[in-house]
Amino acid sequence: MSLDAELRAAFNGELVLPGDPDYANAIARWAINAERKARYVTFPKDTQAVSAIVNWADSNNIPIAVKGGGHSASGSSSSEDGLVIDLGRHLNKVTVSEDKKVFFIGGGALWEDVDRAGVENGVATPGGTVNHTGVGGLILGGGYGYLSGEYGMVVDNLVEVTIVLADGRIVTASEISEPDLFWALRGGGGNFGVVTQFVLKCYPQRPTVYGGRLFYPGERIKEVIEVARKWWNAGPSAKEAVLLTAARSPAREPVVAINVFYNGEVSDGEEKFKDFIALGPIVNTAAEVPVPVINTFQNTVAVHGRYTYMTATSQAGPDPDICVSAYHEVLKTSEDGAVDTAFILELYPHEKIASVPVEATAFPARKSQIGVLFMARWDEAGQQFADRAKNEIRSIKDVFIQGASKQAGLVDPEPGYSNYTSEEKLPASSTKNIFKGNYARLQRVKHQYDRNNVFFRWYGIEPAAA
Ligand SMILES: Cc1cc2nc3c(=O)[nH]c(=O)nc-3n(C[C@H](O)[C@H](O)[C@H](O)COP(=O)(O)OP(=O)(O)OC[C@H]3O[C@@H](n4cnc5c(N)ncnc54)[C@H](O)[C@@H]3O)c2cc1C
């Protein structure tokens, strides 16, 4: 029997091979540069099928990649000439328990599936702010969203996972079952196996919230950041959040856009964000919206199928001088229209996240700071564009790094959120720098569950010596 036929017979699900009509679709990723020409793309129908695929790949010495939603720009859910286990076609169901205390979420579901099940049951949990992002990578890397002020990181709400290990065993991990593995899965990424189900706590949720987008001409960035700083320094309630994007509009006009979110009545939301509204945005869509709508605000810009470079850092808070200087770089680098550049301040009240001790989960970045995401997107193939995008983002990021050293109260401005990496190959020093004091324990768990490094993509963890 040929290897192809052997694999096809080995598991319950579909196999797509190079040359098949749906091959291009099967290897497509949110960022074009994350695509790789896999030799086998598998779509398992259940957890046993995942186990059979892992065993087959192991016995044939074929490298594995696991795809959830396919949004990592690093290529870590793709495999050049290897085998992909794509969970997105069948292992994507989301249900809510009868007592409405937890979500059961397939390892290949998208956040829109969670949002839909949540609104049908009057519950919610923190999740991704762009609803077509996958749950898999986002949860395993930590995860935050509009509800993080109230309920913390996504991993802080994880109750249990079902996971296929490197040797094909299927286990559940929780505080009481395989606790070390459970610790590592809360922030340590896809380094330990294939998660086919996540169980996440959920909370009673009103059906509508106050939210929307406010747009200002780019020349008003200093005033907008001053208001953002005042709002941030006043200590927003856990029910509020702001995402601030400094970029150009699709019509190439300099624009600063803020997403406002308040988990409550419109009148209270308008009061919370009155200083932003008083600035007189050129567009203000903020209104009472059904909960799932808040995770669609960015869908029109976060479209599939563009080349993308992302990276991140952290800051003590919004700083007008830093943001104005960085915005000059954004406008300069995006002037000719070949590469779109932007920075995004992620302003989620941090007390709940910081209330969990850093060593309680593998997720390492819990100090009270704001996240800054840098993004370049472009449409032309060619290394020169990739190099240019990376250099331009470096010049924007450098403004924040240099400025950060002058910010009082800032602890460790680099690195930023691990899930925003775009690098396919990261040296061990990067992984150590991300996980810091948690790295040694991750190495021990890696040795226990995947000592041959079957799951080696994303931030690789070197198994501890025996
Ligand atoms: C448009 C956009 C918006 C975003 N918004 C947010 C946000 O609001 N909050 C936030 O925290 N992050 C956000 N992110 C970052 C996001 O967390 C990462 O891109 C994450 O990798 C996406 O997960 P995925 O399953 O779609 O990715 P994939 O590319 O499928 O996977 C990423 C990594 O996770 C592994 N993986 C995925 N699923 C599984 C699984 N079930 N079992 C084992 N390993 C698995 C893959 O093997 C790969 O290594 C955003 C990213 C994008 C592109």
Side-chain angles (χ1 to χ4, degrees), residues 26 101 152 237 246 311 388:
K101 293 267 173 61
S237 74
T311 179
R388 177 179 155 178

Side-chain angles (χ1 to χ4, degrees), residues 30-31 71 129-132 146 213 215 243-253 255 257 259 295-308 310 340-344 373 375-379:
W30 178 77
H71 275 56
T129 55
V130 174
N131 73 358
H132 50 69
Y146 290 113
R213 303 198 87 191
F215 294 87
L243 291 183
L244 186 152
T245 306
R248 285 181 190 268
S249 71
R252 314 226 49 76
E253 294 299 326
V255 70
N259 296 4
N295 293 328
T296 64
F297 292 153
Q298 295 172 113
N299 286 8
T300 48
V301 282
V303 291
H304 289 74
R306 301 190 73 193
Y307 293 88
T308 307
M310 294 162 89
D340 296 326
T341 52
F343 68 80
I344 300 167
L373 163 63
M375 189 171 309
R377 304 203 80 194
W378 66 101
D379 299 308

Side-chain angles (χ1 to χ4, degrees), residues 30 66 68-72 76-77 87 107 129 134 136-138 143-144 193 195 417 419:
W30 178 77
V66 180
H71 275 56
S72 173
S76 63
S77 55
L87 305 171
T129 55
L138 190 145
Y144 48 70
V195 176
Y417 178 34
N419 259 348

Side-chain angles (χ1 to χ4, degrees), residues 373-394:
L373 163 63
F374 305 91
M375 189 171 309
R377 304 203 80 194
W378 66 101
D379 299 308
E380 298 289 330
Q383 192 57 38
Q384 72 274 28
F385 291 103
D387 292 343
R388 177 179 155 178
K390 200 169 169 178
N391 288 336
E392 291 181 344
I393 288 299
R394 188 72 242 176

